[in-house]
Amino acid sequence: MSTKRADKTRTVDTAVEMLLEQAKAQDISTAFSRAAAMAPCPIGEDGRCCKNCHMGPCRLVKPGQRGVCGATLETVAARNLARAIAAGASAHSDHGLDMAFTLEAVARGEAPGYQVRDPHKLRSVAGLMGIQADGKSLNDLALEVAERAIENFSQMRGELTYVGRAPANRQEIWRNLGIVPRSITREIVETLHRTHIGTDQEPEHILRHALRTALSDGWGGSMLATDISDILFGTPSPTVAQVNLGVLKEEQVNVVIHGHEPTLSEMIVAAAQDPELIEYARSKGAVGINLCGICCTANEILMRQGVAVAGNFLSQELALLTGAVEAIVVDVQCIMQALGDLSARFHTQLITTSPKADITGATRLEFDEHHAPEIARQIVRMAVDNFGYRNGQVNIPQVTNELVPGFSHEYINYMQGGAFRGSFRPLNDAVIADRIRGAAGVVGCNNPRTAHDETHTYLVREFIKNDVLVVMTGCGAIANAKCGMLLGEAKQYAGPGLREVCEAIGVPPVLHLGSCVDNSRILTVLTQMATEGGLGEDIADLPVVGFAPEWMSEKALSIGTYFVASGVYTIFGVSSPVGGSEEVTRLIGDGWEKQVGARLEFEPDPQQMLAKALAHIDAKRATLKLPVYDPSRFGISGDWRMRELMALPPEERMAAQYGRAKP
Ligand code: BF8
């Protein structure tokens, strides 16, 4: 099985499949049909195209061929990867910077509607930044934290503050290699400079700086975005929510929030509950206002407010095809330009709110944190006004499932002993005793070049069956939520040891940690596992793996690279953006393993991905001198449910595994 789509499977989500059929009948293009109609450029796909100056673009397709400037394939592929990582890091980090500006405005009393909702987190972040909290008002402390965060973007010398959160051994590796980030902005600017024509030409040297740039995302921009969001909107803890396109409601005003930043969406959540606006919706013939999300904005308001999720990246166009969406409100990242034309075919208002992102065909309503509640109310009012303009049949697939999201690092600590004795001791002990074989972080996007959600769900099912605890973020988490894997009941699919642990602690075997910037939560969780004792002293010692099986975005490349730089063996699916260069493939594999103790690999075959991951986990266990994995030692076999499912005819199995089709 290859993750490159060679067969007719477009998606494993029945709701998506239903709407794709409708799109075909109505002759509406979607990312699925556009991908099918246009093969990827074979030269650009595997890193052989250089567009860094106007003597080209140069296509290095013959052995030994060089660009007009003399650049080799290795240099071109390394530069392309480094630039993609810098773009991904900048997306996460610009988001983090805006969060810091919002915190600053709140602290100065200039952002009505916002407040420090989690003072405990504020104090703990201040402590991590070396800021004395005693005797300071919340606003004074928030201002100092915001200013320190902003400095992490702009300082030109020194080290990122959060580098000090990593295990000591890891910090030493980074220092010895000269890849401790000085600031977020400086590393990204330097990547663009180094990859300009005629600057850095040595592939290993270029890629070493790519590690540094990615670290400025993981331990900088993303980690700050997560921490400040928790301070302003609350640190997540488990809640129950609904997922899939059936969360749209025919008789209500549907507002879909899509993008990445929680600042305005949190205000829209409040506006949608405003009795005056609900009454206004009733006056227009609706029974209420229904809010739901797509992509990582969805994950942000899901984790903290339990707001329903309509779908992940490849569901965004399909939500509009239901004919039931009054407004889709977007900010930044992963918003398909196709939404502009598509919204014009329906009654949907496409509202773009970020000063950074205008979209042809969209209504612009710029977000400003100084007037957020008014802007949010204006958006909800526009959606209500649009309810009477539905211009066709409403067709909402009646498919939903439940999930339990909200596993912040703080909650994972708490769930293992409460406020008094919270620690990672039980988790580490379960790994040491072989009840849990290891852990996998399965994160990242959808990509229409591979069957939607298929590899995400395959890997997660197989991991938990093999007693591997799974943590998830982003679109991968939504994929698994849709088929019920983010519920306590999913323990029935888990191996015996993992199931025992889930039953003892009362958690699902698959933990939803949040949005893509919240991959930083995985870094801090791994740090605590590494420093808790019994599993080595560095993240690279742990029996863990990272995955982005259906990746497509530059952000995914940045995440994967900071996982590797932090010591986590990481496997991507689909295909390799540097596959044209054996040397660059070697440098990010063997080369990075030698330098930072972990490899980045691109593996299109899901079964191979799984085999490599389990072999890696077992090898790390052996190095730690832990018992050889033996599922027969715990509980009763956890495989019975999977065996029953596999014995069912394919349609019945799909119905049993994915969603609940309501009659
Ligand atoms: O930041 S997983 S498709 S939505 S890039 Fe985009 Fe990828 Fe989804 Fe969240 Ni992350």
Side-chain angles (χ1 to χ4, degrees):
M1 179 164 51
S2 157
T3 50
K4 277 266 169 174
R5 233 181 71 208
D7 57 27
K8 292 260 186 294
T9 311
R10 297 180 287 193
T11 178
V12 294
D13 179 341
T14 49
V16 167
E17 187 58 42
M18 283 160 72
L19 288 166
L20 286 177
E21 284 303 313
Q22 183 190 320
K24 194 170 155 200
Q26 294 179 331
D27 198 23
I28 293 174
S29 84
T30 63
F32 291 86
S33 63
R34 292 188 293 272
M38 182 173 59
C41 164
I43 301 162
E45 185 191 15
D46 59 4
R48 296 169 179 274
C49 176
C50 182
K51 296 187 293 174
N52 293 16
C53 81
H54 206 54
M55 295 190 291
C58 295
R59 302 174 301 163
L60 307 189
V61 290
K62 294 182 192 150
Q65 199 173 13
R66 288 176 176 245
V68 174
C69 70
T72 62
L73 174 59
E74 291 67 48
T75 301
V76 167
R79 282 199 305 224
N80 289 344
L81 179 60
R83 279 204 165 195
I85 289 165
S90 74
H92 285 147
S93 298
D94 208 31
H95 165 172
L97 181 59
D98 278 342
M99 297 307 306
F101 286 146
T102 302
L103 182 63
E104 186 186 41
V106 172
R108 291 189 198 281
E110 295 168 355
Y114 296 105
Q115 57 176 313
V116 170
R117 205 175 281 166
D118 191 341
H120 180 74
K121 179 98 187 203
L122 174 65
R123 284 188 205 97
S124 102
V125 168
L128 290 165
M129 290 178 161
I131 297 169
Q132 179 58 249
D134 293 347
K136 289 179 186 159
S137 72
L138 274 190
N139 279 350
D140 285 349
L141 191 59
L143 186 60
E144 272 192 66
V145 166
E147 284 169 350
R148 182 66 52 86
I150 293 164
E151 265 171 39
N152 271 261
F153 290 87
S154 58
Q155 72 191 18
M156 286 301 128
R157 295 190 179 84
E159 292 186 352
L160 280 191
T161 308
Y162 281 168
V163 163
R165 291 177 78 169
N169 290 12
R170 187 65 9 202
Q171 293 180 43
E172 201 182 320
I173 288 169
W174 294 340
R175 292 210 174 86
N176 290 342
L177 207 54
I179 59 168
V180 175
R182 292 156 292 190
S183 77
I184 295 152
T185 310
R186 178 144 192 205
E187 306 315 342
I188 293 169
V189 167
E190 191 171 311
T191 298
L192 293 180
H193 177 199
R194 282 178 182 235
T195 54
H196 186 276
I197 176 179
T199 308
D200 204 359
Q201 299 166 22
E202 168 57 42
E204 187 279 324
H205 198 243
I206 295 166
L207 292 168
R208 201 180 325 163
H209 188 72
L211 290 170
R212 194 177 201 179
T213 307
L215 284 173
S216 78
D217 175 358
W219 297 85
S222 282
M223 206 172 273
L224 288 165
T226 295
D227 279 352
I228 297 174
S229 299
D230 286 353
I231 290 170
L232 287 172
F233 307 120
T235 303
S237 58
T239 181
V240 182
Q242 297 281 318
V243 64
N244 215 337
L245 288 152
V247 303
L248 294 165
K249 299 282 174 261
E250 180 161 1
E251 68 288 359
Q252 298 198 34
V253 173
N254 290 296
V255 182
V256 177
I257 307 180
H258 170 28
H260 282 79
E261 294 181 345
T263 17
L264 181 58
S265 47
E266 284 278 343
M267 288 294 145
I268 296 176
V269 174
Q273 292 164 2
D274 182 331
E276 200 183 302
L277 284 169
I278 293 171
E279 198 44 53
Y280 185 55
R282 289 193 182 126
S283 77
K284 299 283 179 181
V287 302
I289 300 168
N290 179 44
L291 191 68
C292 57
I294 283 181
C295 284
C296 282
T297 298
N299 283 319
E300 297 277 359
I301 50 179
L302 164 77
M303 292 280 282
R304 297 190 179 88
Q305 313 280 358
V307 172
V309 179
N312 48 13
F313 177 66
L314 283 178
S315 298
Q316 59 185 282
E317 293 172 287
L318 305 174
L320 270 55
L321 272 151
T322 64
V325 176
E326 273 58 55
I328 180 163
V329 187
V330 302
D331 50 35
V332 288
Q333 302 164 26
C334 303
I335 297 143
M336 290 192 195
Q337 190 167 351
L339 291 183
D341 285 347
L342 189 60
S343 61
R345 288 195 63 157
F346 295 87
H347 75 302
T348 308
Q349 283 263 13
L350 171 62
I351 302 171
T352 176
T353 60
S354 168
K356 296 165 199 163
D358 202 356
I359 301 175
T360 309
T363 302
R364 246 177 109 65
L365 208 61
E366 267 189 28
F367 170 64
D368 172 357
E369 66 263 37
H370 302 92
H371 309 283
E374 291 143 62
I375 298 165
R377 287 173 58 81
Q378 199 181 341
I379 287 170
V380 173
R381 191 171 274 273
M382 280 170 75
V384 172
D385 286 337
N386 205 18
F387 182 72
Y389 291 95
R390 288 187 183 177
N391 53 6
Q393 213 190 335
V394 169
N395 180 22
I396 302 170
Q398 296 302 303
V399 181
T400 61
N401 216 324
E402 276 187 347
L403 76 153
V404 175
F407 290 90
S408 56
H409 179 173
E410 288 81 352
Y411 186 81
I412 296 172
N413 200 47
Y414 171 81
M415 77 189 190
Q416 297 180 76
F420 182 57
R421 275 187 214 280
S423 82
F424 268 52
R425 200 63 257 160
L427 180 58
N428 276 30
D429 284 346
V431 176
I432 291 165
D434 192 30
R435 289 166 89 194
I436 294 178
R437 186 176 183 176
V442 184
V443 310
C445 321
N446 299 139
N447 185 331
R449 301 286 176 200
T450 181
H452 173 222
D453 292 346
E454 187 178 58
T455 318
H456 277 301
T457 50
Y458 165 77
L459 284 173
V460 168
R461 279 198 313 273
E462 292 298 320
F463 277 135
I464 66 169
K465 193 166 95 181
N466 282 281
D467 290 302
V468 174
L469 177 73
V470 179
V471 295
M472 304 202 76
T473 63
C475 290
I478 298 172
N480 278 279
K482 285 187 286 182
C483 56
M485 298 303 279
L486 271 57
L487 290 170
E489 289 90 323
K491 69 177 191 281
Q492 68 188 305
Y493 306 114
L498 176 59
R499 197 173 60 198
E500 260 188 27
V501 173
C502 292
E503 279 166 353
I505 302 181
V507 292
V510 185
L511 304 179
H512 188 340
L513 268 62
S515 64
C516 277
V517 293
D518 292 335
N519 283 308
S520 61
R521 297 191 203 274
I522 300 179
L523 295 179
T524 54
V525 162
L526 293 176
T527 298
Q528 196 170 343
M529 283 179 75
T531 52
E532 180 72 40
L535 292 176
E537 292 176 342
D538 179 26
I539 294 171
D541 298 332
L542 300 170
V544 299
V545 285
F547 276 93
E550 299 179 24
W551 78 281
M552 63 89 198
S553 76
E554 292 164 315
K555 290 183 289 172
L557 289 172
S558 179
I559 294 165
T561 306
Y562 73 63
F563 267 65
V564 170
S566 304
V568 182
Y569 172 41
T570 301
I571 306 174
F572 277 48
V574 193
S575 68
S576 169
V578 295
S581 167
E582 275 178 32
E583 174 61 3
V584 173
T585 302
R586 188 191 66 76
L587 285 168
I588 62 173
D590 294 348
W592 279 356
E593 178 147 43
K594 232 177 249 155
Q595 290 178 321
V596 291
R599 340 167 42 90
L600 178 62
E601 285 182 2
F602 293 84
E603 171 53 67
D605 181 342
Q607 282 151 4
Q608 281 299 316
M609 283 183 198
L610 177 71
K612 286 179 173 188
L614 294 177
H616 175 78
I617 285 171
D618 289 345
K620 289 290 176 188
R621 292 187 63 84
T623 308
L624 289 165
K625 300 198 176 6
L626 300 180
V628 175
Y629 171 64
D630 174 9
S632 68
R633 291 195 296 132
F634 295 100
I636 52 167
S637 169
D639 295 349
W640 62 272
R641 173 70 175 154
M642 194 53 70
R643 274 204 302 273
E644 273 183 5
L645 283 171
M646 296 317 279
L648 292 172
E651 321 77 61
E652 284 180 41
R653 187 166 77 228
M654 294 297 278
Q657 280 181 282
Y658 303 108
R660 288 175 202 151
K662 287 183 188 158

